[in-house]
Amino acid sequence: MSAPLVIVFPIYQGVTQLDFTGPLQFLRRMPGAEIIVASVDGADIASEGLHFTRLQKLQEVTRCDVLCVPGGGGCVQALQDARFMRQIRRLGPDARYLTSVCTGSLILAAAGLLQGKRAACHWSMRDSLALFGAIPSSARVERDGNVISGGGVTAGIDFALALIAELHDEETAQMIQLYLEYAPAPPFQGGTPELAPPHILARVQAQMADSLRLRREQVALLAQG
């Protein structure tokens, strides 16, 4: 009997829950997969009104085939957490696939794992990838060698299906897509800066301006060492 395919989601305070619960919902239906959700010390994690408990201790995870790092509002704090980043640097080099959703790619990049690699990210922080030697991509799902990354939040589901097709085959991915009735038909045209109506984009950018400027400055300082 073959060993299970180990997929690890390392999570942290302020993670965006859909960044990992979306892909997890799909990946857990994949044959032969063992999914581990872990935090430093196995600490409970708060995420947008939800709490995740009984997590595995990240430092006790010995290996993974797929390292999948989610993003979120707490991403900068995670980048500043030496204990968390130490585990990303420990697990990443031996993983068959380095993967991420949203600003999770910034964590992989800051860990030194995406040098010269194309990676997707949430549009608001995408350019910051270049500070760590990665190549920003506007793709919803980007593939560069063993690096597979999804764009912002909901792109995690498309990313999961692409990953399932990579690990198994397209038919397996399509079957899981059907089981979970994933047939997106959004009621509004938008969702990216390129597709959103100009006045909607302007309002969102105005609402994000102060917090986004602070996050970008913090990330730039981290990149300087």
Side-chain angles (χ1 to χ4, degrees):
M1 193 171 178
S2 60
L5 184 103
V6 179
I7 302 172
V8 173
F9 289 93
I11 66 173
Y12 48 86
Q13 302 298 341
V15 67
T16 293
Q17 61 86 13
L18 189 58
D19 279 12
F20 74 93
T21 57
L24 187 152
Q25 183 68 50
F26 283 74
L27 293 170
R28 69 179 297 274
R29 286 182 171 268
M30 186 171 58
E34 176 187 348
I35 295 181
I36 297 173
V37 182
S39 62
V40 173
D41 294 331
D44 293 352
I45 296 297
S47 170
E48 302 169 320
L50 299 178
H51 291 82
F52 297 91
T53 64
R54 300 174 64 183
L55 302 172
Q56 294 202 34
K57 294 181 179 180
L58 186 56
Q59 54 268 54
E60 292 182 359
V61 176
T62 57
R63 57 168 293 275
C64 62
D65 297 291
V66 179
L67 181 63
C68 185
V69 184
C75 173
V76 173
Q77 287 69 38
L79 290 172
Q80 296 169 332
D81 184 344
R83 297 181 69 204
F84 178 82
M85 293 301 295
R86 189 178 304 122
Q87 301 310 315
I88 302 301
R89 293 188 179 99
R90 177 179 65 86
L91 291 168
D94 294 327
R96 284 175 53 196
Y97 294 93
L98 293 169
T99 73
S100 62
V101 177
C102 198
T103 53
S105 57
L106 278 176
I107 293 175
L108 288 177
L113 299 171
L114 299 187
Q115 286 286 334
K117 297 287 189 178
R118 297 187 307 277
C121 188
H122 190 279
W123 58 265
S124 66
M125 293 294 292
R126 184 187 302 146
D127 291 346
S128 295
L129 284 167
L131 297 172
F132 301 101
I135 302 170
S137 168
S138 60
R140 188 160 174 85
V141 180
E142 180 61 78
R143 168 75 185 269
D144 190 343
N146 72 330
V147 176
I148 305 176
S149 51
V153 193
T154 59
I157 293 177
D158 293 356
F159 149 80
L161 288 167
L163 181 59
I164 293 166
E166 168 71 20
L167 295 170
H168 282 272
D169 51 52
E170 289 188 5
E171 286 193 1
T172 300
Q174 290 175 349
M175 289 173 65
I176 293 172
Q177 180 178 1
L178 178 57
Y179 279 130
L180 296 175
E181 200 172 342
Y182 180 57
F188 308 109
Q189 177 74 0
T192 68
E194 295 78 15
L195 294 175
H199 71 286
I200 296 296
L201 175 60
R203 289 182 62 182
V204 170
Q205 288 176 324
Q207 290 175 358
M208 297 176 67
D210 291 341
S211 62
L212 187 55
R213 181 168 53 251
L214 178 60
R215 292 178 74 188
R216 287 173 174 168
E217 289 173 354
Q218 290 173 322
V219 170
L221 286 173
L222 287 167
Q224 293 172 9

